Amino acid sequence: MTRVLLVDDDAELSAMLSEYLEQEGLSTHAVYDGEAGVREALSGRYDIAVLDVMMPRLNGVEALRQIRAHSRMPVLMLTARGDDIDRILGLELGADDYVPKPCSPRELVARLRAILRRGVVAEVQPAESERLSLGHLQLWPARLAAEWRGQPLSLTGAEFRLLEVLARQAGQVVSKAALSERGLGRPLARFDRSIDVHISSIRQKLGSTADGRAWIQTLRGQGYLLIKD
């Protein structure tokens, strides 16, 4: 059974979400502050964590920073509705996705399963079943491993899947809707900026071409394009 760590100081909300997750077949354990969340996340007992941003003792952003220093376990952030700063910062620190509060349990489960599906697909494939090679870029989808210019490229799970989608269609424009469906495993929501933030992070990690362009180009109103090396 999938094991979910829920970190939120709202005990009533945590109880309601835990009950719903359990009914959906997700074993859930709740803690109520960031310090406890970090300890539990690094215990190795969980498959995924749900982390609220606003918490006492240690907020969710700092908790995520500490988790990412030691672990690549999937993390979904709960953020205040309309608070773009926390969402963007969380994604830049390596959150796999976010859900605005107040959220419906159904949406939370859907987002969790989308993240978990990406991990399961990677696990069931043979470790060296495929290498995607594109000039300076090497991708091993089964291991979520990447190299850029011969050096390991550190990517979150979401960043890897988005880059993989772009690499498979290098030189072609990929719409945000297609990136969301194929890279994040969910339909593109209105006003959802998570893809933009993930792409910005990937751009920074790839650097610039010899003529100073970003390797991933934005075509306004159309989508993104990965330049062929």
Side-chain angles (χ1 to χ4, degrees), residues 32 44 58 92 96 108 123 130 189 223:
Y32 307 103
L58 190 71
E92 289 176 343
D96 292 86
L108 179 61
E123 289 176 4
E130 178 186 13

Side-chain angles (χ1 to χ4, degrees), residues 4-185:
V4 179
L5 171 64
L6 179 58
V7 188
D8 194 317
D9 64 318
D10 187 332
E12 184 176 348
L13 176 63
S14 294
M16 183 268 289
L17 291 177
S18 294
E19 181 179 359
Y20 190 90
L21 292 175
E22 293 279 353
Q23 291 174 356
E24 292 293 316
L26 302 171
S27 175
T28 307
H29 176 66
V31 294
Y32 307 103
D33 65 78
E35 291 181 355
V38 172
R39 287 196 302 270
E40 288 295 316
L42 297 180
S43 70
R45 294 194 294 266
Y46 304 95
D47 300 298
I48 192 168
V50 178
L51 191 60
D52 186 29
V53 169
M54 298 301 295
M55 289 186 294
R57 302 179 66 178
L58 190 71
N59 66 45
V61 171
E62 183 56 35
L64 175 63
R65 193 190 310 272
Q66 294 188 21
I67 292 170
R68 278 292 169 260
H70 304 283
S71 171
R72 294 186 65 185
M73 76 176 296
V75 175
L76 183 147
M77 302 290 288
L78 295 177
T79 67
R81 188 173 298 276
D83 196 343
D84 281 342
I85 294 176
D86 285 336
R87 297 179 194 178
I88 292 171
L89 184 55
L91 291 170
E92 289 176 343
L93 289 173
D96 292 86
D97 203 351
Y98 66 82
V99 173
K101 293 176 69 174
C103 67
S104 72
R106 182 177 180 180
E107 180 182 7
L108 179 61
V109 169
R111 295 291 186 95
L112 288 172
R113 285 182 169 157
I115 295 171
L116 291 166
R117 275 198 302 271
R118 298 198 295 266
V120 168
V121 168
E123 289 176 4
V124 300
Q125 295 176 359
E128 296 292 341
S129 61
E130 178 186 13
R131 181 180 71 171
L132 180 59
S133 182
L134 185 72
H136 296 306
L137 180 65
Q138 307 288 322
L139 298 175
W140 289 266
R143 294 188 285 118
L144 297 183
E147 287 185 0
W148 177 245
R149 299 183 186 275
Q151 299 298 317
L153 181 62
S154 179
L155 300 168
T156 67
E159 289 170 358
F160 184 95
R161 292 303 186 196
L162 291 172
L163 182 56
E164 180 188 355
V165 173
L166 290 171
R168 291 187 183 280
Q169 293 186 240
Q172 304 176 45
V173 180
V174 183
S175 69
K176 288 180 65 174
L179 279 170
S180 186
E181 288 278 2
R182 293 158 54 191
L184 301 183

